[in-house]
Amino acid sequence: MTRQRIMSGMRPTGTLHLGNYFGALENWVKLQNEYECFFSIVDWHGLTTGYEDTSEFRDNIMEIAIDWLSAGLNPEKCTIFIQSNVKEIAELHLLLSMIVPLSWLERCPTYKEQLSQLTEKNITTYGFLGYPNLMAADILIHKGNFVPVGEDQQPQLELAREIARRFNYIYGDTFPEPQGKMTKIKVLPGLDGRKMSKSYSNTIALSDSPDTIREKIRKMITDAEKIKKNDPGHPDICAVYAFHKVFSEETHQETYEVCKTGGIGCVQCKKTLAENVVRYMAPMYERRQKLIGNKKIILEVLIEGTRHAREVAKETIEEVREKMKLMELE
Ligand code: AMP
Ligand code: TRP
């Protein structure tokens, strides 16, 4: 029996943080044991909003590969590849663009939101409008059955399903309709309580050293009404407590009670949290130390993964060309 396929990707836009980890990566690491997995470094998607400055593009690809491997992706179990090196994706993107109504792309909430938010960049481009179509090509080229991504990606995934359905309807059954696979933690808050995001500068990066983590947590702002150590606190609105819920599985309930009754001060509470986070991230930190400075190993993983991803992509594109009755000369 062939295993069902998982397909997912991330843009190489700099170092990953714990939000990316809990929103997606943690899940990927588990899924690689059960499914045939394809994980793509989607550099073309990176271009849609970052085409003006590509100076760090190559470094960012190496960086994200290190992040993935230190988070626990194992190239023996999954395929890690660079999107722009699987050119069949570009061909599928072009072919799909023939059948995707413009209105589907224009009404995509992520598109509308980014247009209104990223006002400092000119993203009123053809490529940016086609972002979800390119994402659909990513998923469909490997006939992904499941796509593990965070909640924010659901509208684009829905579009990928609609595109698959439309293709199947016009040219005959070809693609499975890709389903989402959510993680338990939908949105990880950042150091300031808002969603953890690079654009808010409230992140803990996967590459942060234990001391950096301690320092970042020490500076976290807690409940403004808990001034003295013995003042009762409000854990429900405190970013530190939100982190305890994730990192202090066994003790967070107790922390909740003692905070509420003023039995613990914020300084102590943050120290305990910092040690729990450092302990949680220690295996990642160790794997990273072995990888940095070993560019060769990382390149080998990418070359081998991309070769395999391309083989599978070629099979799909041949089938698509056949179904669409494109002329083959050889
Ligand atoms: P991005 O870097 O925003 O493109 O996100 C890459 C992946 O990480 C996507 O699957 C997001 O859903 C997920 N993600 C990013 N930030 C968070 C967060 N704070 N909480 C949960 N998931 C996140
Ligand atoms: N849009 C996704 C994000 O911003 C990245 C992405 C591109 C992706 N292609 C994909 C995710 C295919 C899953 C499957 O995180």
Side-chain angles (χ1 to χ4, degrees):
M1 208 182 81
T2 53
R3 284 188 301 169
Q4 287 200 299
R5 286 201 186 137
I6 292 276
M7 196 282 140
S8 198
M10 282 187 204
R11 286 167 297 153
T13 47
T15 46
L16 296 182
H17 52 72
L18 282 175
N20 303 125
Y21 181 76
F22 285 106
L25 260 183
E26 187 200 25
N27 216 5
W28 297 9
V29 172
K30 288 191 197 129
L31 294 166
Q32 64 181 344
N33 296 312
E34 298 162 49
Y35 294 89
E36 187 181 354
C37 293
F38 292 87
F39 298 121
S40 178
I41 300 174
V42 290
D43 50 350
W44 280 331
H45 278 103
L47 283 179
T48 59
T49 52
Y51 63 88
E52 274 169 308
D53 180 7
T54 54
S55 56
E56 289 174 12
F57 228 54
R58 291 177 180 163
D59 288 344
N60 284 345
I61 288 177
M62 294 303 279
E63 200 54 53
I64 199 170
I66 296 180
D67 278 336
W68 286 4
L69 295 171
S70 27
L73 285 190
N74 178 348
E76 309 265 311
K77 296 182 180 170
C78 66
T79 300
I80 297 175
F81 67 100
I82 302 177
Q83 180 192 39
S84 68
N85 283 251
V86 180
K87 308 211 168 64
E88 289 72 18
I89 299 171
E91 183 172 352
L92 184 59
H93 168 258
L94 173 97
L95 295 173
L96 294 177
S97 76
M98 305 300 167
I99 67 166
V100 180
L102 213 43
S103 59
W104 290 10
L105 299 170
E106 284 164 344
R107 69 162 189 242
C108 186
T110 347
Y111 173 70
K112 289 194 281 191
E113 190 190 302
Q114 297 244 43
L115 266 192
S116 65
Q117 281 186 5
L118 293 177
T119 43
E120 76 281 12
K121 290 183 183 170
N122 180 0
I123 51 170
T124 54
T125 57
Y126 181 48
F128 186 66
L129 177 67
Y131 186 112
N133 187 44
L134 181 56
M135 180 162 156
D138 281 332
I139 300 167
L140 300 181
I141 198 90
H142 289 120
K143 299 197 173 179
N145 302 99
F146 298 103
V147 184
V149 278
E151 197 176 32
D152 53 346
Q153 297 295 315
Q154 296 311 309
Q156 321 209 57
L157 192 53
E158 175 61 35
L159 237 161
R161 275 195 288 279
E162 288 179 67
I163 296 173
R165 232 173 277 146
R166 186 162 164 83
F167 187 97
N168 291 345
Y169 176 74
I170 302 176
Y171 303 107
D173 211 23
T174 310
F175 299 116
E177 285 178 26
Q179 306 301 316
K181 234 186 199 316
M182 297 289 284
T183 40
K184 340 188 254 295
I185 298 167
K186 288 194 178 147
V187 178
L188 187 79
L191 293 164
D192 58 358
R194 291 187 289 173
K195 176 186 167 176
M196 186 177 283
S197 167
K198 239 177 82 173
S199 40
Y200 296 149
S201 307
N202 64 357
T203 65
I204 295 181
L206 298 189
S207 55
D208 281 345
S209 71
D211 280 342
T212 308
I213 296 171
R214 290 188 183 101
E215 188 57 16
K216 282 184 174 176
I217 292 179
R218 191 180 67 77
K219 287 193 195 141
M220 278 174 84
I221 292 170
T222 51
D223 177 4
E225 286 178 29
K226 185 166 161 63
I227 297 155
K228 291 197 297 296
K229 190 173 146 187
N230 296 330
D231 289 342
H234 305 85
D236 289 316
I237 54 154
C238 179
V240 173
Y241 181 66
F243 268 65
H244 269 299
K245 279 203 279 194
V246 179
F247 294 99
S248 316
E249 215 173 322
E250 279 155 25
T251 52
H252 75 85
Q253 260 150 357
E254 193 187 321
T255 305
Y256 187 87
E257 295 306 325
V258 288
C259 170
K260 272 194 124 156
T261 52
I264 184 177
C266 296
V267 174
Q268 183 55 43
C269 183
K270 288 197 271 189
K271 271 194 184 149
T272 311
L273 174 66
E275 291 318 310
N276 290 348
V277 176
V278 166
R279 196 174 326 114
Y280 188 91
M281 294 178 69
M284 292 194 226
Y285 188 71
E286 272 169 38
R287 278 192 290 263
R288 174 178 302 275
Q289 301 316 306
K290 290 192 194 128
L291 288 166
I292 39 180
N294 210 336
K295 214 172 161 180
K296 203 165 148 246
I297 291 195
I298 298 155
L299 278 177
E300 273 167 19
V301 167
L302 293 174
I303 291 169
E304 188 47 39
T306 303
R307 193 194 53 72
H308 178 62
R310 199 156 187 203
E311 264 171 26
V312 178
K314 276 188 180 144
E315 287 171 21
T316 309
I317 208 72
E318 269 175 33
E319 183 186 348
V320 165
R321 292 178 59 101
E322 180 56 36
K323 290 242 164 81
M324 293 180 85
K325 306 278 183 285
L326 293 175
M327 176 112 158
E328 300 297 339
L329 283 180
E330 39 178 348

